[in-house]
Amino acid sequence: MRGMSHALPTSSPRLATSGILLAAVGAVAASGKAVIVKLAYRHGVDATTLLALRMLMAFPLFALLAVWSARRATALSWADRGRVVWLGFTGYYLSSLLDFQGLQYISVTLERLILYLNPTLVLLISLVLLKKKPGRWQVAALVLSYLGVLLAFGHDLQLEGGRIVLGSALVFASALSYALYLFGSGQVVARIGAIRLTAYASCVACVLCVLHFAVLHPLRVLFQQPVPVYWLSLVNATVCTVLPVLAIMLAVKRIGSSLAAQVGMLGPVSTIVMSLWLLDEPMGPWQILGTALVLVGVLLVSRVRA
């Protein structure tokens, strides 16, 4: 995403419009994941089981995508295979596991705000590991983003207490894990391709999630869940997992990563709407202000990096 200009890759208004629509669909669909998870938790399912069901149902689609993306590609070296496994572990398995665990304790609005810190975490990792000096706009973006999360965190902390601390820590660890994936995937993407890497890494994560479940539970438990859990998991696997990956990649191809990221700011907003509509979660002025600050901060980071 770094180094791309704000100019659209295409001059066609039709393609530009379709790109913006795809980015919006991807952002809204991805943000619905937390709402689906919260609804499933009402049926007594645990995080490990829910994650295994989601990845088990998503696996055939990612496997088809992997086969399609590799049909004319060269075979991977053993070094790149190792990198794919590592990226699948950090970017999709570990980050998803921590996120699902954290959602047991915090609201979907706070979860989405913490996860939306990803661009700022990638920036921080770059500053620390590459020893870059941050610019004034970068510092301002970081301050705004984390101040916004602290405002929303403080609001929820007054209502829920210590559960919020644990849940927020888990989700922040999830965001950090995914930021490490984004930071480390740059050179690998150039060699393998974005779609192929995503498909391969997702397949690795699917296998790891099911193995994780098998270590903790008998496999038969997967087939003993309430019927609504299976329907919710199917929606989570297709609409909230595979669809956003494809929609956002197609959007980036049409309108570029910078504009796609800005359209993606619909994510936190749509999460608030869905949490109020489907979960009846409380929404106070501090959460609204926190959301606005995070959006402004991430917008600044996106513009500076572009």
Side-chain angles (χ1 to χ4, degrees):
M1 293 183 183
R2 274 171 273 189
M4 297 187 73
S5 67
H6 289 282
L8 297 180
T10 176
S11 58
S12 167
R14 180 177 297 177
L15 282 178
T17 301
S18 67
I20 292 172
L21 289 175
L22 283 167
V25 168
V28 174
S31 66
K33 176 261 303 174
V35 176
I36 296 296
V37 170
K38 281 286 194 181
L39 290 172
Y41 281 155
R42 294 178 176 180
H43 296 278
V45 63
D46 65 272
T48 306
T49 303
L50 194 60
L51 181 58
L53 285 171
R54 172 211 190 192
M55 300 307 259
L56 189 62
M57 292 180 179
F59 179 77
L61 298 175
F62 280 126
L64 286 174
L65 185 61
V67 172
W68 177 83
S69 62
R71 66 196 188 284
R72 295 179 182 174
T74 57
L76 297 183
S77 66
W78 282 104
D80 277 340
R81 291 177 188 180
R83 293 184 183 98
V84 167
V85 172
W86 172 249
L87 291 173
F89 174 84
T90 57
Y92 295 102
Y93 161 71
L94 184 59
S95 63
S96 295
L97 178 64
L98 292 168
D99 183 36
F100 274 51
Q101 294 283 358
L103 274 168
Q104 296 176 106
Y105 309 107
I106 65 175
S107 67
V108 297
T109 300
L110 181 57
E111 181 257 7
R112 183 52 44 180
L113 287 184
I114 296 173
L115 290 183
Y116 212 66
L117 293 175
N118 266 322
T120 68
L121 288 172
V122 174
L123 174 61
L124 284 173
I125 292 170
S126 300
L127 294 176
V128 172
L129 296 184
L130 303 181
K131 302 186 186 306
K132 292 182 178 180
K133 185 177 180 180
R136 287 179 298 175
W137 285 110
Q138 290 175 325
V139 172
L142 292 172
V143 170
L144 284 175
S145 297
Y146 288 89
L147 177 60
V149 170
L150 285 175
L151 287 175
F153 172 81
H155 172 273
D156 285 11
L157 184 62
Q158 291 179 337
L159 298 176
E160 298 290 340
R163 289 169 52 89
I164 298 301
V165 178
L166 175 59
S168 298
L170 287 168
V171 175
F172 185 81
S174 169
L176 181 59
S177 178
Y178 193 72
L180 288 170
Y181 159 78
L182 292 175
F183 180 79
S185 64
Q187 293 183 344
V188 184
V189 167
R191 288 195 301 272
I192 299 177
I195 296 179
R196 192 180 180 198
L197 175 60
T198 300
Y200 283 6
S202 298
C203 287
V204 169
C206 290
V207 173
L208 290 175
C209 288
V210 175
L211 288 176
H212 183 124
F213 173 86
V215 170
L216 299 178
H217 307 284
L219 282 175
R220 66 177 182 274
V221 174
L222 277 178
F223 308 101
Q224 298 173 346
Q225 301 303 313
V227 173
V229 171
Y230 294 114
W231 285 112
L232 290 168
S233 296
L234 182 61
V235 172
N236 202 355
T238 54
V239 177
C240 302
T241 301
V242 179
L243 175 62
V245 169
L246 296 176
I248 292 171
M249 283 187 175
L250 290 172
V252 169
K253 186 176 181 180
R254 285 166 169 76
I255 62 177
S257 60
S258 179
L259 182 54
Q262 292 174 35
V263 176
M265 291 183 180
L266 284 171
V269 177
S270 64
T271 300
I272 291 174
V273 173
M274 285 187 283
S275 68
L276 291 172
W277 174 35
L278 298 173
L279 300 174
D280 295 323
E281 289 188 350
M283 173 60 61
W286 291 111
Q287 285 180 310
I288 295 174
L289 178 59
T291 301
L293 289 176
V294 171
L295 291 178
V296 172
V298 171
L299 177 61
L300 283 176
V301 169
S302 301
R303 295 182 69 86
V304 168
R305 291 182 67 203

